[in-house]
Amino acid sequence: MFGVKNVQIDSALLKFSRWTRKGRGGKRAKIFSLLRGRFVKAIFPKGKKARLAVGATLRAAAPFQKARRERAVGTKYEGRKVIIRKEDFRIKRMSRKAGTLVIFLVDASGSMALNRMNAAKGAAISLLSEAYKSRDKISLIAFHGEQAEVLVPPTRSIALTKHRLEAMPCGGGSPLAHGLTLAVRTGLNTMKVKQDVGRVCIVCITDGRANIPLELSLDNKFTPSTDPDSTEGMPSRKFLKDEVLACSRKLSSLADFDFVCIDTEDVFVRTGIAKEMAQVAQGKYHHLDSADSAAVTQITQQKIREVN
């Protein structure tokens, strides 16, 4: 188990303009409903619960008032100045800003123990405060051993997430592909079930050194025949890299997902996989030096603000 390291901000890293994702607006997505938000327009009634658009209803009924008053003579509606029929009713269509789900995907494998896990935790904990201020939901997923695990499901509780992050152990293999898959599934499920979430930002803190294939994480086995370069029943480095990049590439096709990859790999023995992950996912990349985790915090804070 590792502690949390506080470090200084490198001001040279605070220029965020180059991090902006091409082709994506900075405005947060909107959610349309019939009950909450700002009135957008009047529509025909649907559903069991809605708010009546009084003005639009009266305008719809206005052209027929003379004819309706004439037909109302001798009925209980005689003498009414305004006669409203069922077909006149209009309801309000409302819109409000969608919330953002910030998923912290943290590599807790054995290799991270050699690559400044304490500094990575310090950056993630600082980012939690920004997510809380923005009233966004946060989630924590850790991957080590053979599988990834949702330590904190989507919530607004910063205390719970911080406690789980600080107490998170390290060790074992690095099922990076399963971590990415689980993060995407968590985001999609939350957007589908929780109607107040319209965007997902995945902050992946890893050294990119995957050594557990996705098949092993899901089925507790690996089929060597799927990898021509497999040795002793285990996948080759090329197979693991291609699998991770394939999972990362899927993120680029998800319109409401943003990806920030924070690379913790040692500068002297770098493989560059984390950077490639960010490139194929059309996300943001930053290498975490031992003296600039606070700068990474500020960079990712800007990414969160971008969709607020």
Side-chain angles (χ1 to χ4, degrees):
M1 187 180 298
F2 290 78
V4 176
K5 182 178 181 180
N6 293 322
V7 289
Q8 298 298 319
I9 297 179
D10 181 359
S11 58
L13 296 173
L14 301 183
K15 297 179 180 179
F16 189 76
S17 58
R18 65 180 183 276
W19 292 71
T20 304
R21 186 165 189 175
K22 299 295 189 295
R24 286 196 176 183
K27 293 185 178 179
R28 173 174 289 189
K30 291 183 178 181
I31 294 177
F32 295 97
S33 71
L34 302 179
L35 297 175
R36 290 192 299 149
R38 182 176 61 84
F39 176 47
V40 177
K41 66 177 182 178
I43 61 175
F44 287 100
K46 61 180 180 179
K48 294 183 179 180
K49 294 183 179 181
R51 296 175 63 179
L52 180 66
V54 178
T57 299
L58 292 175
R59 286 192 294 271
F64 311 104
Q65 293 305 302
K66 182 177 180 181
R68 289 176 182 176
R69 284 194 291 267
E70 291 175 352
R71 290 196 298 268
V73 175
T75 68
K76 62 180 180 179
Y77 300 110
E78 184 177 1
R80 288 191 178 184
K81 294 184 178 180
V82 179
I83 301 175
I84 305 295
R85 303 295 188 203
K86 182 178 180 180
E87 58 269 21
D88 299 328
F89 286 115
R90 302 292 187 272
I91 61 174
K92 293 181 178 181
R93 190 187 190 201
M94 320 291 284
S95 74
R96 64 183 187 275
K97 289 183 178 180
T100 301
L101 171 63
V102 183
I103 300 177
F104 293 96
L105 179 61
V106 182
D107 188 344
S109 64
S111 61
M112 281 291 289
L114 303 175
N115 288 307
R116 301 172 300 280
M117 184 63 187
N118 50 355
K121 284 185 177 182
I125 288 177
S126 298
L127 290 170
L128 289 176
S129 300
E130 179 63 27
Y132 179 76
K133 292 175 184 177
S134 303
R135 301 189 64 81
D136 292 320
K137 288 182 179 291
I138 52 181
S139 178
L140 175 63
I141 298 177
F143 58 95
H144 66 101
E146 294 186 351
Q147 292 182 324
E149 178 184 7
V150 179
L151 296 182
V152 179
T155 179
R156 287 193 174 94
S157 174
I158 185 175
L160 174 61
T161 308
K162 184 176 180 180
H163 173 72
R164 293 285 180 87
L165 186 61
E166 288 178 332
M168 184 175 63
C170 283
S174 179
L176 179 52
H178 188 229
L180 291 168
T181 303
L182 184 58
V184 170
R185 186 163 67 245
T186 301
L188 290 174
N189 289 343
T190 304
M191 292 176 65
K192 182 179 180 180
V193 177
K194 303 291 185 181
Q195 296 185 356
D196 56 344
V197 173
R199 200 171 189 85
V200 176
C201 179
I202 299 176
V203 181
C204 181
I205 304 176
T206 181
D207 56 10
R209 294 174 176 267
N211 55 18
I212 302 295
L214 183 60
E215 184 183 10
L216 182 60
S217 299
L218 298 176
D219 301 328
N220 295 320
K221 65 178 182 178
F222 173 69
T223 307
S225 59
T226 59
D227 180 14
D229 301 323
S230 174
T231 57
E232 299 181 356
M234 292 303 294
S236 62
R237 291 185 179 180
K238 181 180 182 302
F239 179 89
L240 292 167
K241 176 182 176 181
D242 291 344
E243 186 176 65
V244 167
L245 294 181
C247 293
S248 302
R249 190 173 288 108
K250 291 180 180 179
L251 286 167
S252 63
S253 62
L254 299 174
D256 297 316
F257 277 67
D258 290 294
F259 184 69
V260 178
C261 186
I262 300 177
D263 186 1
T264 63
E265 194 173 30
D266 193 302
V267 68
F268 298 106
V269 288
R270 294 177 68 177
T271 62
I273 296 177
K275 187 173 185 178
E276 291 186 56
M277 287 170 54
Q279 290 174 343
V280 299
Q282 298 181 21
K284 322 304 171 199
Y285 169 82
H286 182 77
H287 182 260
L288 177 62
D289 294 324
S290 59
D292 71 350
S293 67
V296 178
T297 298
Q298 198 140 343
I299 289 171
T300 313
Q301 285 174 350
Q302 183 64 34
K303 184 60 192 175
I304 296 173
R305 293 192 192 103
E306 202 176 61
V307 295
N308 284 344

